[in-house]
Amino acid sequence: MASSQDQLSSRTRHEWLANLNTEYRPAKNYRRTSIIGTIGPKTNSVEKINMLRKAGLNIVRMNFSHGSYEYHQSVVDNAKEAERTQEGRPLAVALDTKGPEIRTGNTVNDDDIPIAAGAELNITTDEKYATACDDKNMYVDYKNITKVIEKGRIVYVDDGVLSFEVLEIVDEKTLRVRCLNNGKISSKKGVNLPKTDIDLPALSEKDQKDLRFGVKNKVDMVFASFIRRGSDIRHIRQVLGEDGKQIQIIAKIENQQGVNNFDEILKETDGVMVARGDLGIEIPPAQVFIAQKMMITKCNLAGKPAICATQMLESMTYNPRPTRAEVSDVGNAVLDGADCVMLSGETAKGNYPKEAVTMMHETCLLAEVAIPYVSQFDEMRSLAARPVGTTESCAMAAVSASLEQNAGAILVLTISGSTARLVSKYRPVCPILMVTRNPIASRYSHLYRGVYPFHFPEEKPDFTKADWQEDVDGRIKWGIAQAIKLGILSKGDTVVCVQGWRGGAGHTNTLRIVPAEDDLGLRRK
């Protein structure tokens, strides 16, 4: 990786970019951006999950839009067994909810019914058409559609394969619409209402059952679909309850309502996913680019993780190599500031899951070289709201010290991972080594860019009988040893350590600078 000294020689973004070398390869295999992979039929085994881990996978995703509880249980079990049987860093498990949705009814005999552009028909909530849709009446299961939509609005069916313009709101159950393109009316297809605020509940009955499944199986994070307002996140926390209080909630922004209410959502959520699939149907595709940059930047400023998802390496589902545009898309998501990038069908059902993760790893690794970390740090520090809290002040100071010292790493002792998250906010050049006794935090901290979480295996001692500073030094030595073993730190490198003045959460206020040596440089000569 380019060192702090290299970065300091080019203080501005333009200086750094103008001096990029296309043949440069980081000396250490240090990737800051985490990779999320969806586990599906092609990868649901201990061996396949470990294959993906070796290629660079950090977080396993379960898509609850598909599959039974038995299937998802097998994914959880295989992920935990993979982590147990193969040496390496913790592996996180994410539950992606189906979310509230609108669907069409069934056609007669579930046949596909051709429809031509210009044809007029009714979209209805009348239950008598729920299993009898035809080219005259198409049922949808959203009862309030006639109350929220307006004349002239568009209705998309099947991810936009069919489009309809609303001509008239006939009555409380019926819309008169015109078909805008040739296509087929099919059974149980998804419906999108762009630029229309819908009033569906944040969680369906199925979602609530799915969340309880996640709590029972101790998943590390929930990707909450179709979040539209801050209260949706509070509702999810209530459902997760006391047993699920450590589960991180990632709000998926998938419609105009979510974009409009982004600030209130960001205050409540633990992180954000820019879910570009449905978002690209709900708002014009050209605007998704702007929404992505806006949301990721606001997450960066708030110090909360941002995930970029959907169609990142889509062509690799069936091809061994991606398109150039896809590689640029991944690289630009990294430059935008995304903490994680996600693969969906590429790893769930694709023919080249290992190659897709490897390509994602290689692209992120090189894209990170193009980031001017010093100018980014200067800007983030200048934009921090004053007065800054003690923990964030320490995080800021640690990153500054790592630049001035040309440090090999910043090592953080933490319980919840909050300090590591705040260090990540200021985007140091060097890796952030997070050492924690909290196994859940050691997994969900993959969400934070540049953080290498390690679960310290020893129980917390009784400090009425054991020396607290000895325990601190022991954890620092252990973390340094793990990083050297992983190949992201070299013996003798300078390490900036962030710790508390006493045990427990919320006491971070101390920086130490030590060499990566067995004795931390404490032995007297």
Side-chain angles (χ1 to χ4, degrees):
M1 65 186 177
S3 70
S4 298
Q5 296 299 303
D6 296 328
Q7 290 277 347
L8 285 165
S9 66
S10 301
R11 199 84 195 186
T12 70
R13 176 176 176 272
H14 285 89
E15 281 180 302
W16 181 253
L17 293 178
N19 288 310
L20 288 177
N21 178 356
T22 58
E23 296 182 358
Y24 174 78
R25 170 97 191 169
K28 294 177 182 173
N29 207 27
Y30 162 47
R31 170 172 48 84
R32 300 164 177 84
T33 312
S34 286
I35 297 173
I36 302 168
T38 306
I39 299 302
K42 292 286 184 78
T43 46
N44 186 21
S45 70
V46 173
E47 296 73 25
K48 289 292 176 66
I49 291 172
N50 274 334
M51 174 189 77
L52 298 182
R53 287 177 75 204
K54 281 185 178 177
L57 183 72
N58 304 109
I59 300 170
V60 158
R61 170 181 175 254
M62 297 181 290
N63 184 0
F64 272 68
S65 294
H66 312 284
S68 64
Y69 284 125
E70 291 76 20
Y71 174 78
H72 293 304
Q73 186 67 58
S74 72
V75 175
V76 172
D77 294 343
N78 286 334
K80 290 183 177 179
E81 183 65 11
E83 184 182 14
R84 189 186 70 80
T85 56
Q86 180 172 288
E87 193 175 359
R89 287 179 301 130
L91 178 67
V93 176
L95 186 161
D96 197 325
T97 65
K98 187 176 185 180
E101 62 179 3
I102 306 170
R103 287 196 175 270
T104 63
N106 293 84
T107 59
V108 177
N109 299 322
D110 285 330
D111 291 335
D112 291 338
I113 302 170
I115 187 167
E120 293 186 13
L121 71 156
N122 297 322
I123 289 179
T124 179
T125 60
D126 191 332
E127 289 296 329
K128 73 180 182 183
Y129 295 108
T131 55
C133 296
D134 55 25
D135 59 354
K136 302 287 188 295
N137 293 280
M138 184 172 67
Y139 174 83
V140 298
D141 60 8
Y142 177 39
K143 298 299 182 185
N144 283 355
I145 189 169
T146 56
K147 297 176 183 175
V148 299
I149 205 161
E150 297 174 5
K151 180 181 175 180
R153 290 282 167 87
I154 301 298
V155 177
Y156 285 129
V157 176
D158 194 12
D159 288 340
V161 172
L162 273 178
S163 308
F164 300 92
E165 181 186 359
V166 178
L167 301 176
E168 182 186 359
I169 300 167
V170 179
D171 55 41
E172 63 180 13
K173 290 185 177 180
T174 311
L175 301 174
R176 190 68 179 169
V177 300
R178 178 189 294 120
C179 187
L180 299 179
N181 60 289
N182 298 329
K184 293 179 180 179
I185 296 173
S186 304
S187 296
K188 292 293 181 184
K189 294 300 180 182
V191 176
N192 294 88
L193 307 176
K195 297 195 178 298
T196 297
D197 288 353
I198 61 174
D199 55 0
L200 288 170
L203 294 171
S204 66
E205 213 169 285
K206 178 189 183 312
D207 291 331
Q208 296 189 48
K209 289 179 183 175
D210 294 347
L211 289 177
R212 286 191 281 272
F213 172 90
V215 172
K216 183 187 79 172
N217 283 281
K218 296 181 169 58
V219 300
D220 305 296
M221 58 196 77
V222 166
F223 298 161
S225 297
F226 295 102
I227 296 299
R228 302 191 301 277
R229 55 185 78 84
S231 59
D232 295 348
I233 302 295
R234 293 194 293 273
H235 185 196
I236 292 169
R237 289 202 197 281
Q238 287 174 358
V239 174
L240 291 175
E242 183 66 21
D243 290 343
K245 67 181 180 182
Q246 287 197 78
I247 294 174
Q248 302 294 288
I249 301 172
I250 306 300
K252 293 173 67 179
I253 306 301
E254 303 182 77
N255 50 37
Q256 187 70 55
Q257 218 172 337
V259 173
N260 292 345
N261 296 328
F262 186 75
D263 290 347
E264 71 172 67
I265 292 168
L266 186 58
K267 285 178 184 175
E268 298 291 341
T269 190
D270 297 310
V272 168
M273 180 187 290
V274 183
R276 303 176 304 176
D278 278 282
L279 188 59
I281 299 168
E282 292 277 342
I283 69 176
Q287 292 178 16
V288 174
F289 165 83
I290 300 296
Q292 174 176 317
K293 290 187 178 301
M294 177 273 287
M295 289 189 280
I296 290 176
T297 301
K298 284 188 173 181
C299 286
N300 291 167
L301 290 170
K304 293 187 176 184
I307 301 168
C308 193
T310 318
Q311 296 179 329
M312 300 211 80
L313 296 176
E314 180 81 1
S315 69
M316 287 194 77
T317 307
Y318 302 113
N319 296 296
R321 289 171 60 80
T323 66
R324 311 305 176 268
E326 287 170 338
V327 173
S328 291
D329 181 41
V330 174
N332 279 313
V334 173
L335 294 181
D336 285 346
D339 295 80
C340 311
V341 286
M342 193 175 97
L343 296 167
S344 299
E346 301 95 329
T347 53
K349 63 180 182 180
N351 295 334
Y352 303 96
K354 179 184 176 184
E355 291 81 357
V357 174
T358 301
M359 179 58 66
M360 193 72 99
H361 165 78
E362 293 285 336
T363 305
C364 291
L365 187 67
L366 294 176
E368 289 162 2
V369 172
I371 297 171
Y373 290 96
V374 173
S375 64
Q376 194 173 59
F377 170 66
D378 289 342
E379 187 173 358
M380 291 296 290
R381 184 166 56 177
S382 70
L383 291 171
R386 267 60 176 185
V388 178
T390 302
T391 302
E392 187 164 350
S393 290
C394 283
M396 204 186 295
V399 176
S400 180
S402 72
L403 292 171
E404 302 302 333
Q405 291 272 321
N406 196 26
I410 298 171
L411 189 147
V412 180
L413 301 182
T414 182
I415 295 173
S416 66
S418 180
T419 304
R421 175 178 61 81
L422 289 170
V423 174
S424 171
K425 173 183 175 178
Y426 290 95
R427 300 297 197 247
V429 176
C430 62
I432 303 160
L433 312 177
M434 174 182 142
V435 178
T436 181
R437 285 190 166 99
N438 182 345
I440 298 174
S442 75
R443 294 189 293 268
Y444 68 60
S445 293
H446 279 301
L447 287 168
Y448 314 139
R449 190 197 276 198
V451 173
Y452 277 65
F454 296 98
H455 177 225
F456 187 64
E458 296 178 16
E459 290 292 319
K460 184 177 180 179
D462 180 355
F463 291 125
T464 61
K465 299 174 183 175
D467 183 78
W468 178 73
Q469 190 58 51
E470 275 185 25
D471 176 68
V472 167
D473 290 349
R475 281 181 283 157
I476 290 173
K477 290 174 186 177
W478 182 86
I480 287 171
Q482 295 300 309
I484 291 172
K485 188 176 176 183
L486 193 62
I488 58 171
L489 186 68
S490 299
K491 197 114 174 166
D493 281 353
T494 299
V495 180
V496 178
C497 302
V498 186
Q499 64 178 77
W501 61 279
R502 64 185 177 91
H507 300 130
T508 299
N509 72 347
T510 305
L511 291 188
R512 290 169 64 190
I513 298 175
V514 302
E517 302 287 357
D518 294 339
D519 64 350
L520 304 182
L522 296 173
R523 190 179 299 147
R524 292 182 180 178
K525 295 182 179 178

